[in-house]
Every structure is written in C-alpha cells, then in structure tokens.
C-alpha cells in the first residue's frame, strides 16, 4: 500500500508589518489608581481622612449644613453601600471645621459636590473651603459615626498668637488639639449615640480650638481649595514626552 504525500501549501500572503509607531501607553490618574486598588479588595477599601475649614454666610443655621451633608452622604451611599462616612463637624459662629473619614472615592465625590455648588450662580452658604490635611490609607477610624456640634463660645481674637507664631506652629497646635478631641470621642462616645450634641464646649472646653485659629487657617494662602485639589487629583500620572510621539526616535549626529 502506498501513501500519497500532498505538498503543503504555503500562503503567499505577506506577513503583517508591525506598526512603526510604538503602542500607546495607557494613561491614568490618581483617582483611577485608587479605585483600582479598591476593586482588587473584597468588601474592603482604603481609608482616608481629610480636614476641612470653611466660612459660612450670615444667617446660616446648623440645620442648613447638616441637611446638606446628610443628603450628599445618602446620595453617595446608593452607589457605595459599604463606604460609610464618619467624622466630626464643628460649627462656629462664622466658620466650620470638618473632619471626614471614608474611602478616597467617597471623599472625592463629597468635594466634587461642594465644587459644583460653589460654581453655581446662587450664593452657597459654605464658602472659601480650604483643605488643611489629607491622610491616605489610615489604619482605622477614630470617629465611629458622623457627629455635629455647635460651638457656643464668644469669639476671641488671638492676634498675639496668630501673628507671633509661624504657620508650622499653628498647624502643630491644630493637629494636637484635634487628636486629643478625637481620642475623647473614641473613648467616651458610644456607638449609636448622638454624641455630646451642642454641649461640647461645656464638656471639654480645653480641647476645643478657638475660632480665630480656624479663621487663620482659612485665610492662609498655603492651603488649596477643593477645585484645585481635584484638578491635581485628576491629573495624569504619566507625562507624554515628545520622544513618545515622534518616530523615528531623535538621534544625535
């Protein structure tokens, strides 16, 4: 029995040529980078903390501020169920101090909502917000809930302090007092309770920052506003150089 061998057909189609230009490098920003980290974790997310100061317009009441933030939190929770917001909102006579703890994506959307309101033609009752400190990937929450307290103390103008001390010294005092106040909440306020309410200035007056310190930080040009922060946050992490888009690569003679 003989076997017939058929000659193998060779394709006459030319091999595809590789493109002359290098493949595009995927561009991303810090916000997408953080969200990708969160997607890689099951039911977990990186925890961030942010310190904010702002000025309130005349006639602004506690109800106006609390209802605004509660609506923002509820709107975000519809899409991020397990990323609860905790922290502390201190409402002074004309300024507020706000500490927020949550995922970077949630804090991003809280700042974005403020920026959208701030750009509105109608005057928003929270003005001139400044970001004092942002702490990424903190080990644990300090505040178990989101607490609100009105500080009912007379305004004391500490010109001798804010003019004699440097910004670094004021920031050190600011963070030290906030840390002590946070420890007080952590140790004494039970989960599920409403907290000290508007009697915080009576319970621990020695732990409260004077409003003049908040005013000083608000007026300092060294701190950026949320819009500037978000622009930096969304800026691509990779910079496209001329050599990435020019082909062939430039050479020296």
């Amino acid at each position: 029995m003989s076997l017939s061998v058929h000659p193998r057909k060779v394709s006459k189609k030319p091999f595809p040529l590789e493109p002359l230009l290098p493949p595009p490098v995927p561009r991303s920003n810090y916000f997408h980078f953080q969200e990708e980290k969160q997607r890689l974790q099951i039911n977990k997310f990186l925890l961030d903390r942010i310190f904010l100061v702002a000025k309130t317009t005349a006639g602004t009441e506690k109800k106006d501020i609390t209802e605004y933030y509660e609506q923002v939190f509820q709107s975000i929770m519809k899409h991020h169920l397990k990323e609860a917001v905790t922290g502390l909102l201190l409402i002074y006579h004309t300024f507020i101090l706000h500490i927020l703890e949550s995922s970077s994506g949630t804090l991003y959307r809280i700042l974005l909502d403020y920026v959208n309101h701030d750009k509105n033609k109608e005057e928003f009752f929270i003005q001139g917000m400044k970001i004092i400190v942002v702490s990424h990937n903190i080990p644990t929450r300090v505040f178990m809930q989101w607490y609100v307290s009105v500080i009912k103390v007379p305004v004391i103008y500490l010109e001798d302090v804010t003019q004699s001390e440097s910004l670094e010294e004021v920031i050190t005092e600011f963070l030290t007092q906030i840390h002590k106040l946070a420890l007080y909440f952590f140790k004494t306020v039970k989960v599920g309770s409403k907290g000290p309410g508007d009697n915080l200035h009576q319970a621990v007056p020695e732990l409260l920052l004077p409003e003049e310190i908040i005013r000083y930080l608000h007026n300092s040009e060294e701190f950026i506003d949320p819009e500037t922060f978000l622009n930096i946050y969304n800026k691509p992490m990779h910079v496209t150089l001329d050599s990435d888009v020019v082909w062939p690569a430039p050479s020296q003679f």
Side-chain angles (χ1 to χ4, degrees):
M1 182 176 64
S2 62
L3 297 176
S4 59
V5 178
H6 297 281
R8 187 177 180 181
K9 294 182 180 181
V10 180
S11 177
K12 296 182 179 181
K13 295 181 180 180
F15 291 103
L17 297 177
E18 295 183 358
L20 296 179
L21 293 177
V25 179
R27 306 298 180 185
S28 182
N29 55 44
Y30 190 68
F31 175 63
H32 295 152
F33 177 73
Q34 291 284 1
E35 288 215 325
E36 182 62 23
K37 277 189 174 182
Q38 295 176 19
R39 283 191 290 267
L40 295 177
Q41 301 183 23
I42 302 177
N43 296 332
K44 295 181 180 179
F45 57 87
L46 297 179
L47 189 62
D48 292 353
R49 183 183 296 123
I50 190 169
F51 296 77
L52 306 168
V53 296
K55 187 176 182 180
T56 57
T57 58
T60 301
E61 298 181 357
K62 174 184 177 181
K63 181 181 178 181
D64 301 327
I65 304 177
T66 55
E67 286 184 351
Y68 162 69
Y69 277 110
E70 287 173 354
Q71 291 176 1
V72 174
F73 298 161
Q74 292 176 3
S75 176
I76 296 175
M77 287 288 288
K78 292 179 181 179
H79 307 282
H80 302 266
L81 296 178
K82 297 184 179 181
E83 300 180 15
V85 180
T86 60
L88 175 64
L89 172 62
L90 300 181
I91 304 176
Y92 290 81
H93 181 62
T94 55
F95 288 89
I96 62 173
L97 167 61
H98 205 178
I99 307 168
L100 293 169
E101 299 173 331
S102 189
S103 68
S104 59
T106 298
L107 297 181
Y108 175 95
R109 288 169 176 81
I110 293 174
L111 295 178
L112 183 61
D113 189 89
Y114 166 78
V115 171
N116 292 334
H117 277 85
D118 193 45
K119 288 182 177 180
N120 199 329
K121 294 182 180 180
E122 297 182 0
E123 186 179 39
F124 193 44
F125 51 81
I126 302 176
Q127 298 181 343
M129 182 177 290
K130 293 289 186 67
I131 299 174
I132 307 302
V133 180
V134 180
S135 301
H136 297 290
N137 196 17
I138 58 178
T140 184
R141 297 177 186 266
V142 176
F143 301 97
M144 297 299 103
Q145 297 175 204
W146 184 66
Y147 304 101
V148 182
S149 182
V150 177
I151 309 303
K152 301 177 181 179
V153 294
V155 179
I156 302 175
Y157 294 95
L158 304 176
E159 295 183 0
D160 56 332
V161 174
T162 57
Q163 292 183 5
S164 60
E165 294 184 352
S166 64
L167 178 61
E168 290 75 12
E169 291 173 328
V170 176
I171 284 293
T172 300
E173 179 183 355
F174 170 82
L175 295 176
T176 301
Q177 289 296 100
I178 292 299
H179 179 68
K180 292 179 181 179
L181 184 60
L183 287 179
Y184 166 79
F185 271 81
F186 187 77
K187 293 179 180 179
T188 61
V189 180
K190 297 181 180 179
V191 178
S193 66
K194 295 182 179 180
D198 296 339
N199 297 322
L200 192 60
H201 61 283
Q202 298 177 350
V204 284
E206 70 281 0
L207 299 182
L208 296 178
L209 285 165
E211 184 173 2
E212 185 58 28
I213 297 295
I214 310 301
R215 182 194 304 271
Y216 175 80
L217 296 176
H218 173 268
N219 295 335
S220 298
E221 298 180 356
E222 287 78 1
F223 303 109
I224 61 176
D225 58 272
E227 183 176 5
T228 303
F229 176 81
L230 294 180
N231 290 336
I232 298 174
Y233 204 73
N234 290 323
K235 187 176 181 180
M237 298 175 63
H238 303 281
V239 179
T240 302
L241 303 177
D242 291 341
S243 58
D244 294 337
V245 296
V246 176
W247 189 265
S251 59
Q252 296 181 354
F253 293 95

